[in-house]
Amino acid sequence: MLRRRAERMYEETLDLSEPIRFASDVERAAAVAFFNAAFRAEESGLSQAHALAGEIAAKDPDLAECLRLYGDEEGWHRQLLTQFLAYLGGEVRPMGRVTGTFYRVYGQAKRVESIVLTNLMFETIGSTTYRLALRRARHPAVRQMLTILTRDESFHVPLNVHFLREALAHGSPSRSMRVRLTAIYHLLFVALLASAAASRRRAQAFDHIPFGELSTAYAEHLGRLFLHESDLRFTPSSTLLRLCGLDRDALAASADLSAVSIEAAEKAVDRGQVSVTAL
């Protein structure tokens, strides 16, 4: 699937012919902050995927190729976002305190399974944010950029589920490893919900997503993902879900897998066949 996507990836270009006008300088600054955060996420995904590919190439060349091709897609997004930020009248900027802390901690991860688990959770909240922003976007260029990100993340989330399964299979399962990964999972779950508050200060004037809606969506998609992929053995806290107005049993029973389903990945193989309405 990754090879098929790579064949036509660079044929897709942004249509930036229509000037963009913001209601205020605050809205413009928020748009630049939103897409800068997206740039940093893609940059991190690119570097980690290529580093992992090099690390496991001798053991599993097929998985290494998957990681390399996945990283190439993240790199292509980074190129598009660089172009799009200039179109908005902005530029790639240094990370803020919260975002910088996230990626510094992420960059210190050394074990393959820890890196992939973290990336899976980051991809899940990224996919959720892009989807909610796309529903509110009106300008054609903004909608195109968000459509590309939303569409491709609907492929990357289940792809990272596959990477995590492979990482766990290649590792040396032990009680200490499971304890460490479970701790990372629960810590990240809380931290990512809290990150919704930090992002509202910088980006809400552009994406118009209230904190309550965004944090609940994060909890829903992170919770549903791991409840449905039960073989991964990460179970969200029922107390934390209740604080977000969600029921763990209801999420587990839900048939709506949204962006984390294998069906979503298969539909996103051919970029030209994914419509905005389907997102």
Side-chain angles (χ1 to χ4, degrees):
M1 289 191 289
L2 282 159
R3 287 170 180 156
R4 286 165 55 192
R5 286 165 62 86
E7 288 173 359
R8 300 182 60 185
M9 181 168 66
Y10 296 104
E11 295 176 7
E12 187 170 12
T13 59
L14 296 173
D15 181 0
L16 306 179
S17 58
E18 182 178 326
I20 186 167
R21 295 180 177 83
F22 293 96
S24 65
D25 289 339
V26 171
E27 185 183 18
R28 179 186 296 277
V32 171
F34 181 99
F35 288 105
N36 255 287
F39 176 92
R40 294 302 180 184
E42 304 300 325
E43 181 179 56
S44 177
L46 163 65
S47 61
Q48 290 285 23
H50 282 183
L52 288 177
E55 184 176 333
I56 68 168
K59 299 178 183 177
D60 191 334
D62 288 336
L63 181 58
E65 183 185 4
C66 284
L67 284 161
R68 181 183 58 76
L69 290 169
Y70 161 64
D72 290 346
E73 290 198 7
E74 300 281 77
W76 176 62
H77 288 167
R78 187 180 66 166
Q79 293 175 29
L80 293 181
L81 284 162
T82 301
Q83 181 184 4
F84 194 72
L85 282 165
Y87 167 73
L88 296 178
E91 59 186 359
V92 176
R93 297 175 179 172
M95 289 181 280
R97 184 176 59 184
V98 174
T99 304
T101 300
F102 265 115
Y103 287 112
R104 279 193 296 273
V105 172
Y106 181 32
Q108 292 173 3
K110 302 301 181 185
R111 298 178 183 268
V112 173
E113 62 273 9
S114 301
I115 294 171
V116 177
L117 173 61
T118 302
N119 201 51
L120 170 58
M121 297 180 76
F122 277 28
E123 291 277 19
T124 302
I125 67 159
S127 171
T128 303
T129 305
Y130 299 147
R131 179 173 283 98
L132 292 176
L134 176 58
R135 291 173 183 171
R136 292 165 165 81
R138 295 292 177 265
H139 191 279
V142 173
R143 287 188 62 79
Q144 185 190 14
M145 187 71 252
L146 287 171
T147 296
I148 290 170
L149 294 172
T150 306
R151 177 202 62 201
D152 289 352
E153 297 311 311
S154 72
F155 181 74
H156 290 172
V157 172
L159 181 65
N160 273 274
V161 171
H162 168 70
F163 289 156
L164 182 55
R165 285 197 176 102
E166 291 296 309
L168 292 172
H170 280 275
S172 302
S174 65
R175 178 176 175 79
S176 62
M177 184 194 76
R178 292 303 316 187
V179 169
R180 173 173 51 81
L181 288 178
T182 300
I184 291 172
Y185 167 72
H186 287 294
L187 177 63
L188 275 176
F189 202 117
V190 173
L192 291 173
L193 293 188
S195 74
S199 72
R200 297 307 79 209
R201 291 195 298 271
R202 296 171 61 86
Q204 187 172 352
F206 163 70
D207 61 34
H208 308 294
I209 309 171
F211 166 72
E213 181 180 351
L214 186 62
S215 59
T216 299
Y218 284 0
E220 178 183 356
H221 286 281
L222 285 169
R224 180 185 288 129
L225 165 62
F226 289 99
L227 288 168
H228 279 273
E229 308 300 330
S230 57
D231 63 294
L232 297 176
R233 296 168 54 193
F234 298 108
T235 305
S237 162
S238 58
T239 300
L240 188 57
L241 291 176
R242 281 198 300 272
L243 289 174
C244 295
L246 301 168
D247 180 82
R248 191 165 69 184
D249 292 338
L251 283 181
S254 172
D256 178 17
L257 300 183
S258 188
V260 304
S261 68
I262 297 303
E263 290 82 358
E266 291 173 343
K267 290 177 180 177
V269 173
D270 184 351
R271 290 180 167 87
Q273 297 301 313
V274 182
S275 66
V276 173
T277 54
L279 301 173

